[in-house]
Amino acid sequence: MRFEVSILSEDLGAVGDVARMVEADGFDGLWLAETANNPFLPLAHAALATEQISLGTAVAIAFPRSPMMMAQTAWDLAEQSRGRFVLGLGTQVKPHIEKRFSANWGKPVQQLREYIDALRAIWHSFQTGEPLRYRGDYYQFSLLTPFFAPPPMPWHDIPIYIAGVNTGLARLAGEICDGFHVHSYHSPRYLREVLLPAFQQGRAKSQLRKPLQLSSAIFVVTGENQAQLEDSKMMTKSQIAFYASTPSYRPVLELHGWADLAPRLNALLRRGKWEELHTLISDDMLAEFAIIAPPEELPYKLRERYDGLLDRAGFYFPYDASDSSKSLVWQHAAKAMAR
Protein backbone atom coordinates (compact mmCIF):
# COMPACT_ATOMS: atom_id res chain seq x y z
CA MET A 1 0.00 0.00 0.00
CA ARG A 2 1.33 3.41 -0.98
CA PHE A 3 1.00 6.15 1.63
CA GLU A 4 0.18 9.58 0.21
CA VAL A 5 -0.78 13.00 1.51
CA SER A 6 -3.11 15.81 0.57
CA ILE A 7 -2.21 19.46 0.87
CA LEU A 8 -4.05 22.77 0.76
CA SER A 9 -2.77 25.53 -1.50
CA GLU A 10 -3.65 28.82 0.14
CA ASP A 11 -0.03 29.96 -0.33
CA LEU A 12 0.87 29.10 -3.91
CA GLY A 13 4.44 30.31 -3.47
CA ALA A 14 5.06 27.78 -0.69
CA VAL A 15 3.81 24.71 -2.56
CA GLY A 16 7.21 23.84 -4.00
CA ASP A 17 8.81 23.77 -0.54
CA VAL A 18 5.96 21.66 0.86
CA ALA A 19 6.20 19.21 -2.03
CA ARG A 20 9.96 18.83 -1.45
CA MET A 21 9.27 18.03 2.21
CA VAL A 22 6.63 15.45 1.26
CA GLU A 23 9.12 13.75 -1.04
CA ALA A 24 11.98 13.99 1.47
CA ASP A 25 9.80 12.41 4.17
CA GLY A 26 9.36 9.37 1.95
CA PHE A 27 5.68 9.66 1.09
CA ASP A 28 4.63 8.22 -2.25
CA GLY A 29 2.35 10.91 -3.59
CA LEU A 30 0.71 14.29 -3.21
CA TRP A 31 -2.93 15.13 -3.97
CA LEU A 32 -4.69 18.48 -4.41
CA ALA A 33 -8.42 18.93 -4.00
CA GLU A 34 -10.55 21.60 -5.63
CA THR A 35 -11.86 23.57 -2.66
CA ALA A 36 -11.19 27.29 -2.28
CA ASN A 37 -8.31 27.18 -4.77
CA ASN A 38 -7.58 25.84 -8.23
CA PRO A 39 -6.07 22.32 -7.92
CA PHE A 40 -3.82 22.50 -11.00
CA LEU A 41 -1.63 25.55 -10.39
CA PRO A 42 -0.06 24.14 -7.20
CA LEU A 43 0.79 20.91 -9.03
CA ALA A 44 2.82 22.85 -11.58
CA HIS A 45 4.96 24.15 -8.70
CA ALA A 46 5.14 20.68 -7.13
CA ALA A 47 6.23 19.11 -10.44
CA LEU A 48 9.21 21.45 -10.69
CA ALA A 49 10.18 20.88 -7.04
CA THR A 50 10.10 17.06 -7.00
CA GLU A 51 11.43 14.11 -8.97
CA GLN A 52 9.76 10.93 -7.76
CA ILE A 53 6.39 11.32 -6.05
CA SER A 54 3.15 11.05 -7.98
CA LEU A 55 1.10 14.24 -8.28
CA GLY A 56 -2.62 14.36 -8.80
CA THR A 57 -6.00 15.96 -8.31
CA ALA A 58 -8.35 14.46 -5.75
CA VAL A 59 -10.38 15.79 -7.32
CA ALA A 60 -10.87 18.40 -10.04
CA ILE A 61 -14.50 19.08 -10.90
CA ALA A 62 -15.10 17.99 -14.47
CA PHE A 63 -18.34 19.45 -15.78
CA PRO A 64 -17.60 23.18 -15.42
CA ARG A 65 -14.52 22.71 -17.64
CA SER A 66 -14.53 21.87 -21.33
CA PRO A 67 -12.83 18.51 -21.97
CA MET A 68 -10.47 20.40 -24.32
CA MET A 69 -9.35 22.74 -21.55
CA MET A 70 -8.98 19.80 -19.15
CA ALA A 71 -7.04 17.82 -21.76
CA GLN A 72 -4.58 20.67 -22.31
CA THR A 73 -4.00 21.22 -18.60
CA ALA A 74 -3.48 17.50 -17.89
CA TRP A 75 -1.16 17.19 -20.91
CA ASP A 76 1.01 20.06 -19.69
CA LEU A 77 1.23 18.66 -16.15
CA ALA A 78 2.00 15.15 -17.38
CA GLU A 79 4.85 16.53 -19.49
CA GLN A 80 6.14 18.86 -16.77
CA SER A 81 6.14 16.05 -14.17
CA ARG A 82 7.62 13.54 -16.64
CA GLY A 83 4.72 11.16 -16.34
CA ARG A 84 3.96 11.50 -12.62
CA PHE A 85 0.60 13.28 -13.01
CA VAL A 86 -2.73 11.56 -12.25
CA LEU A 87 -5.94 13.27 -13.35
CA GLY A 88 -8.59 12.72 -10.70
CA LEU A 89 -12.08 13.85 -11.72
CA GLY A 90 -15.27 14.38 -9.76
CA THR A 91 -18.85 15.19 -10.66
CA GLN A 92 -19.79 17.23 -7.56
CA VAL A 93 -23.56 17.50 -6.97
CA LYS A 94 -26.25 19.29 -8.94
CA PRO A 95 -26.65 22.46 -6.79
CA HIS A 96 -22.91 23.21 -6.94
CA ILE A 97 -22.65 22.57 -10.69
CA GLU A 98 -25.65 24.73 -11.52
CA LYS A 99 -25.50 27.42 -8.82
CA ARG A 100 -21.80 27.73 -7.97
CA PHE A 101 -20.28 27.04 -11.39
CA SER A 102 -23.25 28.02 -13.60
CA ALA A 103 -22.63 24.88 -15.66
CA ASN A 104 -24.89 22.19 -17.09
CA TRP A 105 -25.89 19.12 -15.08
CA GLY A 106 -27.08 16.11 -17.03
CA LYS A 107 -27.06 12.46 -16.08
CA PRO A 108 -23.76 12.44 -14.21
CA VAL A 109 -22.60 8.89 -14.91
CA GLN A 110 -23.36 9.11 -18.63
CA GLN A 111 -21.94 12.64 -18.83
CA LEU A 112 -18.72 11.65 -17.10
CA ARG A 113 -18.35 8.62 -19.38
CA GLU A 114 -18.53 10.92 -22.40
CA TYR A 115 -16.20 13.41 -20.76
CA ILE A 116 -13.51 10.75 -20.30
CA ASP A 117 -14.00 9.36 -23.81
CA ALA A 118 -13.62 12.89 -25.17
CA LEU A 119 -10.45 13.47 -23.16
CA ARG A 120 -8.88 10.34 -24.58
CA ALA A 121 -9.93 11.24 -28.11
CA ILE A 122 -8.28 14.65 -27.71
CA TRP A 123 -5.10 13.16 -26.27
CA HIS A 124 -4.98 10.65 -29.13
CA SER A 125 -5.15 13.49 -31.61
CA PHE A 126 -2.43 15.40 -29.72
CA GLN A 127 -0.16 12.36 -29.83
CA THR A 128 -0.79 11.08 -33.35
CA GLY A 129 -1.76 14.17 -35.31
CA GLU A 130 -4.86 12.39 -36.54
CA PRO A 131 -7.99 14.54 -37.04
CA LEU A 132 -10.10 15.06 -33.95
CA ARG A 133 -13.53 13.52 -34.40
CA TYR A 134 -15.67 13.01 -31.35
CA ARG A 135 -19.46 13.23 -31.15
CA GLY A 136 -21.57 12.42 -28.13
CA ASP A 137 -24.76 13.64 -26.50
CA TYR A 138 -22.92 16.11 -24.26
CA TYR A 139 -19.68 16.87 -26.11
CA GLN A 140 -18.68 17.24 -29.75
CA PHE A 141 -15.19 17.99 -31.09
CA SER A 142 -14.30 18.27 -34.77
CA LEU A 143 -11.60 20.93 -35.04
CA LEU A 144 -7.96 20.80 -33.94
CA THR A 145 -5.50 22.56 -36.21
CA PRO A 146 -1.73 21.96 -35.79
CA PHE A 147 -1.22 25.45 -34.34
CA PHE A 148 -3.42 24.56 -31.34
CA ALA A 149 -2.19 20.99 -30.79
CA PRO A 150 0.79 20.31 -28.51
CA PRO A 151 3.56 18.06 -29.84
CA PRO A 152 3.66 14.34 -28.99
CA MET A 153 5.33 13.30 -25.74
CA PRO A 154 6.38 10.06 -24.00
CA TRP A 155 3.86 10.44 -21.16
CA HIS A 156 0.67 10.65 -23.21
CA ASP A 157 -1.08 7.74 -21.44
CA ILE A 158 -2.34 9.89 -18.57
CA PRO A 159 -4.05 7.91 -15.76
CA ILE A 160 -7.64 8.92 -15.03
CA TYR A 161 -9.22 8.36 -11.63
CA ILE A 162 -12.79 9.28 -10.76
CA ALA A 163 -14.38 9.72 -7.34
CA GLY A 164 -17.71 8.71 -5.95
CA VAL A 165 -19.75 7.11 -3.22
CA ASN A 166 -22.35 5.03 -5.05
CA THR A 167 -22.28 2.08 -7.42
CA GLY A 168 -22.98 3.92 -10.68
CA LEU A 169 -19.67 5.74 -10.67
CA ALA A 170 -17.93 2.67 -9.22
CA ARG A 171 -19.06 0.56 -12.18
CA LEU A 172 -17.98 3.31 -14.57
CA ALA A 173 -14.54 3.39 -12.96
CA GLY A 174 -14.21 -0.35 -13.31
CA GLU A 175 -15.16 -0.15 -16.97
CA ILE A 176 -13.08 2.76 -18.29
CA CYS A 177 -10.77 4.21 -15.62
CA ASP A 178 -7.33 3.58 -14.18
CA GLY A 179 -8.34 4.27 -10.60
CA PHE A 180 -11.05 5.34 -8.17
CA HIS A 181 -10.90 7.80 -5.30
CA VAL A 182 -12.99 6.12 -2.61
CA HIS A 183 -14.78 8.90 -0.75
CA SER A 184 -13.57 9.38 2.82
CA TYR A 185 -17.18 8.86 3.86
CA HIS A 186 -17.19 5.08 3.72
CA SER A 187 -16.69 2.09 5.97
CA PRO A 188 -14.51 -0.91 5.15
CA ARG A 189 -17.71 -2.95 5.04
CA TYR A 190 -19.26 -0.62 2.46
CA LEU A 191 -16.09 -0.76 0.40
CA ARG A 192 -15.96 -4.56 0.60
CA GLU A 193 -19.66 -5.38 0.14
CA VAL A 194 -20.90 -2.59 -2.14
CA LEU A 195 -18.09 -0.88 -4.05
CA LEU A 196 -15.77 -3.81 -4.79
CA PRO A 197 -18.50 -5.85 -6.52
CA ALA A 198 -19.41 -2.75 -8.57
CA PHE A 199 -15.79 -2.27 -9.62
CA GLN A 200 -15.63 -5.92 -10.64
CA GLN A 201 -18.85 -5.65 -12.66
CA GLY A 202 -17.39 -2.73 -14.57
CA ARG A 203 -14.05 -4.45 -15.17
CA ALA A 204 -15.83 -7.54 -16.47
CA LYS A 205 -17.29 -5.38 -19.28
CA SER A 206 -13.99 -3.61 -19.93
CA GLN A 207 -11.16 -4.14 -22.36
CA LEU A 208 -8.78 -2.98 -19.63
CA ARG A 209 -6.82 -5.78 -18.00
CA LYS A 210 -4.70 -3.96 -15.44
CA PRO A 211 -6.14 -3.79 -11.90
CA LEU A 212 -8.15 -0.74 -10.91
CA GLN A 213 -6.16 1.32 -8.39
CA LEU A 214 -8.12 2.34 -5.28
CA SER A 215 -7.18 5.41 -3.27
CA SER A 216 -8.73 7.10 -0.25
CA ALA A 217 -8.06 9.71 2.44
CA ILE A 218 -9.17 8.01 5.64
CA PHE A 219 -10.91 9.64 8.60
CA VAL A 220 -8.70 9.36 11.67
CA VAL A 221 -9.10 10.33 15.32
CA THR A 222 -5.89 10.94 17.20
CA GLY A 223 -4.17 13.11 19.75
CA GLU A 224 -1.20 13.29 22.09
CA ASN A 225 -3.44 13.66 25.14
CA GLN A 226 -7.08 13.21 26.09
CA ALA A 227 -8.04 16.80 25.29
CA GLN A 228 -6.62 16.56 21.77
CA LEU A 229 -8.31 13.20 21.32
CA GLU A 230 -11.71 14.61 22.31
CA ASP A 231 -11.28 17.56 19.95
CA SER A 232 -10.36 15.18 17.16
CA LYS A 233 -13.42 13.03 17.87
CA MET A 234 -15.75 16.00 17.71
CA MET A 235 -14.28 17.33 14.46
CA THR A 236 -14.38 13.93 12.78
CA LYS A 237 -17.93 13.25 13.95
CA SER A 238 -18.98 16.64 12.54
CA GLN A 239 -17.43 15.81 9.16
CA ILE A 240 -19.07 12.40 9.06
CA ALA A 241 -22.41 13.95 9.97
CA PHE A 242 -22.09 16.54 7.20
CA TYR A 243 -21.51 13.87 4.57
CA ALA A 244 -24.18 11.60 6.03
CA SER A 245 -26.75 14.38 5.54
CA THR A 246 -26.23 14.29 1.75
CA PRO A 247 -29.28 12.49 0.25
CA SER A 248 -27.32 10.68 -2.46
CA TYR A 249 -24.94 9.24 0.15
CA ARG A 250 -27.71 7.48 2.06
CA PRO A 251 -26.81 3.94 0.89
CA VAL A 252 -23.80 4.01 3.23
CA LEU A 253 -26.10 4.52 6.21
CA GLU A 254 -28.63 2.00 4.93
CA LEU A 255 -26.02 -0.77 4.77
CA HIS A 256 -25.36 -0.34 8.50
CA GLY A 257 -29.03 0.05 9.49
CA TRP A 258 -28.70 3.77 10.20
CA ALA A 259 -31.08 5.14 7.55
CA ASP A 260 -33.12 7.00 10.18
CA LEU A 261 -30.11 9.24 10.91
CA ALA A 262 -30.29 11.22 7.65
CA PRO A 263 -33.61 13.03 8.29
CA ARG A 264 -32.48 13.92 11.80
CA LEU A 265 -29.27 15.44 10.45
CA ASN A 266 -31.19 17.32 7.79
CA ALA A 267 -33.55 18.71 10.42
CA LEU A 268 -30.57 20.18 12.30
CA LEU A 269 -29.16 21.66 9.09
CA ARG A 270 -32.47 23.31 8.21
CA ARG A 271 -32.40 24.99 11.63
CA GLY A 272 -28.80 26.09 11.16
CA LYS A 273 -27.56 23.90 14.04
CA TRP A 274 -24.21 23.01 12.49
CA GLU A 275 -22.51 22.87 15.87
CA GLU A 276 -24.87 20.07 17.00
CA LEU A 277 -24.35 17.68 14.07
CA HIS A 278 -21.63 15.71 15.83
CA THR A 279 -23.96 14.81 18.70
CA LEU A 280 -25.91 12.46 16.42
CA ILE A 281 -22.84 10.38 15.55
CA SER A 282 -22.32 7.65 18.17
CA ASP A 283 -18.95 6.25 19.16
CA ASP A 284 -19.90 2.99 17.45
CA MET A 285 -20.57 4.85 14.21
CA LEU A 286 -17.31 6.74 14.56
CA ALA A 287 -15.42 3.46 14.87
CA GLU A 288 -16.94 2.25 11.58
CA PHE A 289 -15.88 5.33 9.64
CA ALA A 290 -12.60 6.33 11.31
CA ILE A 291 -9.37 4.88 12.63
CA ILE A 292 -8.94 5.79 16.29
CA ALA A 293 -5.36 5.51 17.56
CA PRO A 294 -2.48 7.51 19.02
CA PRO A 295 -0.11 9.10 16.47
CA GLU A 296 2.52 6.38 16.69
CA GLU A 297 -0.04 3.68 15.82
CA LEU A 298 -2.06 5.45 13.11
CA PRO A 299 -0.11 4.41 9.99
CA TYR A 300 0.03 0.78 11.12
CA LYS A 301 -3.68 0.71 12.02
CA LEU A 302 -4.46 2.18 8.59
CA ARG A 303 -2.40 -0.48 6.84
CA GLU A 304 -3.97 -3.25 8.94
CA ARG A 305 -7.52 -2.04 8.28
CA TYR A 306 -7.18 -1.52 4.54
CA ASP A 307 -4.73 -4.24 3.57
CA GLY A 308 -6.17 -5.88 0.46
CA LEU A 309 -8.78 -3.13 0.04
CA LEU A 310 -6.80 -0.02 -0.97
CA ASP A 311 -3.70 0.49 -3.10
CA ARG A 312 -3.07 4.11 -2.05
CA ALA A 313 -4.13 5.69 1.23
CA GLY A 314 -3.57 8.65 3.49
CA PHE A 315 -5.17 10.67 6.25
CA TYR A 316 -8.20 12.89 5.68
CA PHE A 317 -6.57 16.01 7.13
CA PRO A 318 -4.01 17.87 4.99
CA TYR A 319 -0.24 17.67 5.36
CA ASP A 320 0.91 20.91 6.97
CA ALA A 321 4.40 21.05 8.44
CA SER A 322 3.56 24.31 10.26
CA ASP A 323 0.69 22.69 12.21
CA SER A 324 2.40 21.63 15.43
CA SER A 325 -0.67 19.70 16.58
CA LYS A 326 -0.12 17.19 13.74
CA SER A 327 3.69 17.14 13.65
CA LEU A 328 3.94 13.92 15.66
CA VAL A 329 1.40 12.27 13.34
CA TRP A 330 3.51 13.03 10.27
CA GLN A 331 6.74 12.01 12.00
CA HIS A 332 5.35 8.56 12.76
CA ALA A 333 3.81 8.24 9.30
CA ALA A 334 7.15 9.05 7.70
CA LYS A 335 8.87 6.56 10.01
CA ALA A 336 6.37 3.88 9.01
CA MET A 337 7.06 4.60 5.34
CA ALA A 338 10.78 4.07 5.88
CA ARG A 339 10.29 0.53 7.17
Side-chain angles (χ1 to χ4, degrees):
M1 186 188 299
R2 301 175 65 179
F3 195 94
E4 302 172 320
V5 303
S6 302
I7 67 168
L8 299 178
S9 58
E10 292 101 333
D11 184 355
L12 192 59
V15 169
D17 291 336
V18 174
R20 274 189 286 269
M21 293 173 63
V22 169
E23 187 167 78
D25 282 344
F27 298 115
D28 292 305
L30 185 152
W31 297 105
L32 264 294
E34 181 156 22
T35 51
N37 301 96
N38 178 289
F40 296 110
L41 292 176
L43 291 174
H45 288 253
L48 290 175
T50 59
E51 297 180 354
Q52 296 180 326
I53 58 174
S54 68
L55 306 168
T57 52
V59 293
I61 309 305
F63 301 150
R65 296 178 171 92
S66 160
M68 178 62 75
M69 303 300 291
M70 186 74 80
Q72 289 177 316
T73 301
W75 192 267
D76 289 344
L77 285 170
E79 185 170 31
Q80 186 174 355
S81 66
R82 301 179 68 83
R84 292 181 289 130
F85 176 67
V86 178
L87 178 60
L89 299 174
T91 60
Q92 249 297 344
V93 293
K94 183 178 180 180
H96 280 266
I97 296 300
E98 292 184 339
K99 298 178 181 180
R100 181 158 67 96
F101 291 106
S102 190
N104 295 324
W105 177 266
K107 295 180 178 179
V109 176
Q110 293 91 321
Q111 188 175 353
L112 191 58
R113 174 189 294 275
E114 266 196 29
Y115 196 101
I116 293 169
D117 286 344
L119 279 176
R120 290 183 169 141
I122 295 166
W123 289 335
H124 179 77
S125 188
F126 286 174
Q127 186 67 15
T128 65
E130 294 176 11
L132 176 58
R133 299 284 184 268
Y134 182 82
R135 179 165 292 276
D137 294 328
Y138 295 96
Y139 305 103
Q140 299 86 39
F141 296 94
S142 58
L143 177 63
L144 183 64
T145 59
F147 184 76
F148 294 104
M153 66 164 180
W155 307 286
H156 56 89
D157 190 14
I158 302 168
I160 296 177
Y161 287 33
I162 62 174
V165 173
N166 295 320
T167 55
L169 287 170
R171 282 192 294 269
L172 179 65
E175 188 175 350
I176 69 171
C177 295
D178 302 283
F180 189 85
H181 287 300
V182 178
H183 199 292
S184 300
Y185 175 65
H186 74 274
S187 66
R189 180 184 170 192
Y190 185 79
L191 177 53
R192 188 179 294 108
E193 297 182 15
V194 178
L195 293 182
L196 286 182
F199 297 141
Q200 292 162 1
Q201 290 167 15
R203 229 31 168 204
K205 297 170 58 179
S206 175
Q207 297 181 349
L208 300 173
R209 291 296 170 259
K210 58 185 177 182
L212 184 75
Q213 295 288 296
L214 302 184
S215 172
S216 187
I218 308 301
F219 288 130
V220 297
V221 174
T222 192
E224 298 177 45
N225 53 54
Q226 192 61 36
Q228 288 184 3
L229 188 66
E230 290 302 319
D231 285 345
S232 182
K233 284 179 65 172
M234 186 184 72
M235 290 175 61
T236 305
K237 283 184 175 184
S238 296
Q239 194 64 60
I240 292 168
F242 170 72
Y243 286 130
S245 70
T246 304
S248 60
Y249 295 174
R250 196 164 294 183
V252 182
L253 294 176
E254 291 172 349
L255 177 69
H256 291 277
W258 298 326
D260 63 329
L261 178 66
R264 293 161 60 202
L265 290 168
N266 286 320
L268 284 181
L269 287 175
R270 285 194 298 271
R271 291 158 50 203
K273 302 290 186 179
W274 290 84
E275 71 283 356
E276 295 181 20
L277 289 177
H278 72 95
T279 63
L280 297 185
I281 306 299
S282 69
D283 286 348
D284 287 342
M285 293 178 66
L286 181 66
E288 287 288 341
F289 289 110
I291 296 170
I292 306 170
E296 65 272 16
E297 295 181 15
L298 270 184
Y300 306 104
K301 293 290 187 182
L302 186 152
R303 187 171 293 157
E304 177 184 332
R305 186 168 187 167
Y306 286 97
D307 183 42
L309 290 177
L310 294 177
D311 303 287
R312 314 168 76 141
F315 302 145
Y316 180 77
F317 50 76
Y319 178 93
D320 182 357
S322 66
D323 183 356
S324 59
S325 69
K326 301 288 195 308
S327 59
L328 195 59
V329 171
W330 296 119
Q331 289 172 23
H332 284 290
K335 188 182 299 182
M337 286 294 301
R339 294 186 178 181

